Amino acid sequence: MSNKIKCVVFDCDGVLVDSVSSWRTLHSFFGTQNHNLLEKFLSGEITDQEFMNLDIQMWKEVQPKIHQDDLFRAYSGIKLMPGARETVSELISNGIFVAIVSAGVDIFVSTIAGTLKVNDWIANGFNFDEDGYLLDDGIVRVSGQGKDKIINKLIQMNEFAPNEVLSIGDSDIDLSMYVEGSSFVGFNPSRENSKRAFEDAGVPIIEEKDLRLILPYVFD
Ligand SMILES: [Mg+2]
């Protein structure tokens, strides 16, 4: 095969699914808001782990016992991004490795990974007790600002060259998916910040919510 790109890595929230954040979905579900935590997190005052645990604490103040099924229910209305199914199956049928690297919620991202039949995925998430109730400590696997660590691991594990890898993200934070030599496409920039960061980075930007528009960046 003469195609240069051998691996496409997608962010999940806002890229494979038409919803800004799988964390925000849970906040709307429980009627909580974490704006000041987000600010503290972005300024480095609290870590990924603290951020996640404080989120869980807020939800437990509303509902002390939270079952796994409650969380699944919170995601029931979320839809795939238009073109997601067609795009991923086109990539896979051409022998391209497809992965999801998400700082979102694992129970949600795993459903999307299963629906789209991607080759590999990783996300942050929750611990549950044996009866399925949410425990206090979240699990950090992907730091939003450090997605390059995961991409590098993916490259090593599957013996790709960096220039065979294309990453797709919707937010400025996703620019951390870029590793030297690889490519990045900004898709559906959700905030003005993200659009500006994509422009500053000089990456291609797709504003229309149709994931099929990334295909020309894979097969050119
Ligand atoms: Mg996103």
Side-chain angles (χ1 to χ4, degrees):
M1 214 168 68
S2 63
N3 196 58
K4 194 189 81 172
I5 298 295
K6 296 206 165 91
C7 169
V8 178
V9 188
F10 293 96
D11 170 49
C12 188
D13 297 337
V15 175
L16 291 173
V17 300
D18 191 6
S19 141
V20 180
S21 154
S22 49
W23 293 100
R24 197 187 290 177
T25 302
L26 293 181
H27 281 290
S28 338
F29 184 74
F30 290 107
T32 47
Q33 280 193 341
N34 70 347
H35 299 312
N36 56 343
L37 289 181
L38 182 62
E39 266 166 44
K40 284 186 181 164
F41 172 67
L42 292 175
S43 70
E45 264 180 79
I46 55 171
T47 64
D48 290 83
Q49 185 72 59
E50 287 164 335
F51 189 21
M52 216 177 276
N53 292 4
L54 288 166
D55 270 349
I56 292 173
Q57 207 175 305
M58 290 175 97
W59 304 329
K60 285 193 168 184
E61 276 162 24
V62 177
Q63 184 182 325
K65 285 187 69 123
I66 298 172
H67 197 268
Q68 207 165 353
D69 294 344
D70 299 331
L71 300 180
F72 278 116
R73 205 169 320 120
Y75 290 116
S76 60
I78 310 270
K79 295 206 166 57
L80 286 175
M81 186 61 70
R85 224 179 261 277
E86 297 86 336
T87 302
V88 172
S89 77
E90 173 86 8
L91 295 174
I92 287 176
S93 64
N94 280 280
I96 292 169
F97 189 95
V98 177
I100 305 174
V101 175
S102 168
V105 176
D106 56 1
I107 58 168
F108 174 63
V109 177
S110 71
T111 310
I112 302 302
T115 304
L116 296 174
K117 302 188 179 66
V118 302
N119 300 100
D120 204 355
W121 67 276
I122 186 166
N124 292 321
F126 301 125
N127 279 304
F128 297 95
D129 69 14
E130 55 214 23
D131 298 317
Y133 287 99
L134 182 62
L135 297 173
D136 293 341
D137 290 322
I139 309 170
V140 180
R141 303 187 188 96
V142 182
S143 168
Q145 280 115 325
K147 285 188 170 181
D148 52 333
K149 285 200 202 92
I150 310 278
I151 309 279
N152 275 318
K153 215 181 274 178
L154 207 62
I155 288 177
Q156 269 178 11
M157 273 175 10
N158 299 283
E159 299 180 350
F160 297 124
N163 68 358
E164 294 169 333
V165 178
L166 168 69
S167 298
I168 320 281
D170 72 320
S171 87
D172 46 334
I173 287 175
D174 290 326
L175 283 168
S176 78
M177 295 168 97
Y178 173 81
V179 302
E180 182 83 40
S182 70
S183 15
F184 180 92
V185 171
F187 178 80
N188 175 37
S190 39
R191 293 170 296 165
E192 203 45 46
N193 263 1
S194 303
K195 198 181 162 196
R196 215 172 314 122
F198 291 158
E199 285 166 356
D200 291 348
V203 298
I205 304 174
I206 298 170
E207 296 202 48
E208 204 181 322
K209 285 187 180 186
D210 182 350
L211 209 53
R212 281 165 287 218
L213 297 173
I214 69 135
L215 289 172
Y217 296 95
V218 181
F219 306 107
D220 59 350

